[in-house]
């Protein structure tokens, strides 16, 4: 299996955001850089947070979303100089601000921006998931690739609502090779536990049994998915 470099600079969206001219491209970039920032925070690499935070500041200004970010607090969260109690408080405030942004992006006039931010975050998140699954030969992470079938179905359903737009139409087309590889993963479903009795709204007795799904995936499929993810990532982020 191919093993990507462990260097953080080679796997993150270390790119110039000035090339993103349309609101959709800016939203894609903001979602992708946000996913990178989450990854950096998970690995406690505080020194790497300054550039993505500044990029998110510029993109949020361009998308009229800066009112939902307290960048000074975010910089404090990324700093190792504050206590855990202070960090927890700042995270709570930031979470409330994100909920406010979510409500704004559910507005019919803003939903495309929100959708493209989610698509950017999903694309970069899938790229990072593949990277760590390959690098660490992590079976649990490989299995999580199977979950992406559901995520992609939901994203595609929403994108189709806007396919009259040429940018959206091109993205839907570019997604198809990746979709083919993801849906080549077999999902095994098995019943667990004993059948349980329950009643429907009319009082009729019925039975149900819990099920458990397990993706069946091998290293060759992980490599094939990684190849298509990189193609799609380069396409949407203009790398």
């Amino acid at each position: 299996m191919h093993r990507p470099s462990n260097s953080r600079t080679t796997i993150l969206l270390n790119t110039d955001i000035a090339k993103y001219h349309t609101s959709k491209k800016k939203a894609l970039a903001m979602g992708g850089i946000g996913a990178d920032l989450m990854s950096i925070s998970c690995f406690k690499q505080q020194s790497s947070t300054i550039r993505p935070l500044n990029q998110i500041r510029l993109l949020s200004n361009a998308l009229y979303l800066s009112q939902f970010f307290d960048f000074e607090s975010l910089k404090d969260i990324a700093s190792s100089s504050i206590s855990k109690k202070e960090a927890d408080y700042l995270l709570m405030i930031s979470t409330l601000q994100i909920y406010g942004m979510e409500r704004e992006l559910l507005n019919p006039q803003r939903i495309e921006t929100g959708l493209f931010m989610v698509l950017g975050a999903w694309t970069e998140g899938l790229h990072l998931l593949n990277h760590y699954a390959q690098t660490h030969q992590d079976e649990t992470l490989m299995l999580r690739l199977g979950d992406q079938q559901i995520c992609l179905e939901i994203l595609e359903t929403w994108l189709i609502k806007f396919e009259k737009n040429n940018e959206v139409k091109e993205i839907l087309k570019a997604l198809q090779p990746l979709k083919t590889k993801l849906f080549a993963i077999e999902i095994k479903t098995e019943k667990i536990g004993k059948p349980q009795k329950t009643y429907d709204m009319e009082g009729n007795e019925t039975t149900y049994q819990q099920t458990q799904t397990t993706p069946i995936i091998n290293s060759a499929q992980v490599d094939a998915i990684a190849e298509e993810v990189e193609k799609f990532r380069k396409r949407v982020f203009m790398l």
Side-chain angles (χ1 to χ4, degrees):
M1 179 182 286
H2 170 66
R3 293 172 180 266
S5 166
N6 281 321
S7 169
R8 303 289 305 165
T9 56
T10 61
I11 64 168
L12 300 180
L13 264 179
N14 193 17
T15 189
D16 181 7
I17 62 171
K19 64 186 174 186
Y20 302 123
H21 299 299
T22 69
S23 59
K24 291 182 180 64
K25 287 183 171 61
K26 287 181 170 67
L28 280 166
M30 188 166 166
I33 294 167
D36 282 342
L37 193 57
M38 289 294 291
S39 174
I40 292 167
S41 299
C42 286
F43 287 93
K44 300 187 183 302
Q45 297 191 354
Q46 287 86 0
S47 62
S48 301
T49 61
I50 302 303
R51 187 171 193 231
L53 274 174
N54 286 335
Q55 289 179 322
I56 289 175
R57 184 202 293 268
L58 292 171
L59 290 167
S60 66
N61 284 336
L63 293 168
Y64 303 102
L65 293 171
S66 58
Q67 70 270 32
F68 299 107
F69 293 91
D70 182 344
F71 286 99
E72 292 308 313
S73 294
L74 288 172
K75 284 183 179 180
D76 286 340
I77 292 171
S79 169
S80 58
S81 61
I82 63 172
S83 68
K84 183 181 183 303
K85 186 176 180 180
E86 290 172 320
D88 288 343
Y89 173 74
L90 291 172
L91 279 170
M92 180 188 72
I93 298 300
S94 296
T95 300
L96 292 173
Q97 291 169 331
I98 288 170
Y99 285 150
M101 181 171 66
E102 182 181 23
R103 287 193 295 271
E104 167 74 11
L105 293 174
L106 286 173
N107 185 302
Q109 285 74 40
R110 301 283 272 160
I111 200 163
E112 271 189 272
T113 299
L115 175 59
F116 273 74
M117 284 174 63
V118 171
L119 178 60
W122 177 78
T123 302
E124 188 68 0
L126 184 56
H127 158 73
L128 293 169
L129 175 61
N130 264 289
H131 171 81
Y132 292 115
Q134 289 181 305
T135 302
H136 301 292
Q137 294 284 285
D138 191 308
E139 185 177 344
T140 301
L141 292 178
M142 291 182 189
L143 293 177
R144 294 285 67 80
L145 288 170
D147 299 340
Q148 301 310 307
Q149 291 182 359
I150 298 172
C151 297
L152 181 52
E153 276 189 325
I154 295 170
L155 276 171
E156 192 174 41
T157 298
W158 275 97
L159 285 167
I160 287 170
K161 296 177 186 291
F162 302 97
E163 65 179 336
K164 290 183 180 179
N165 180 283
N166 286 333
E167 282 184 270
V168 177
K169 191 179 295 183
E170 289 173 9
I171 283 176
L172 281 167
K173 183 179 178 181
L175 263 176
Q176 296 315 300
L178 173 55
K179 180 181 178 180
T180 299
K181 297 298 182 185
L182 279 175
F183 278 79
I185 300 172
E186 178 187 353
I187 306 295
K188 180 182 177 183
T189 303
E190 56 182 337
K191 295 179 179 179
I192 57 174
K194 295 180 180 180
Q196 304 291 320
K197 289 184 179 180
T198 187
Y199 297 89
D200 61 22
M201 295 292 289
E202 284 73 36
N204 301 313
E205 185 179 288
T206 184
T207 61
Y208 76 95
Q209 190 167 1
Q210 289 185 322
T211 60
Q212 177 177 287
T213 58
T214 305
I216 310 298
I217 185 170
N218 56 47
S219 58
Q221 286 177 297
V222 174
D223 284 344
I225 292 168
E227 185 177 342
E228 291 303 330
V229 169
E230 288 312 298
K231 289 178 184 176
F232 183 70
R233 180 176 180 258
K234 287 178 181 178
R235 160 70 180 76
V236 296
F237 295 129
M238 302 166 62
L239 300 177

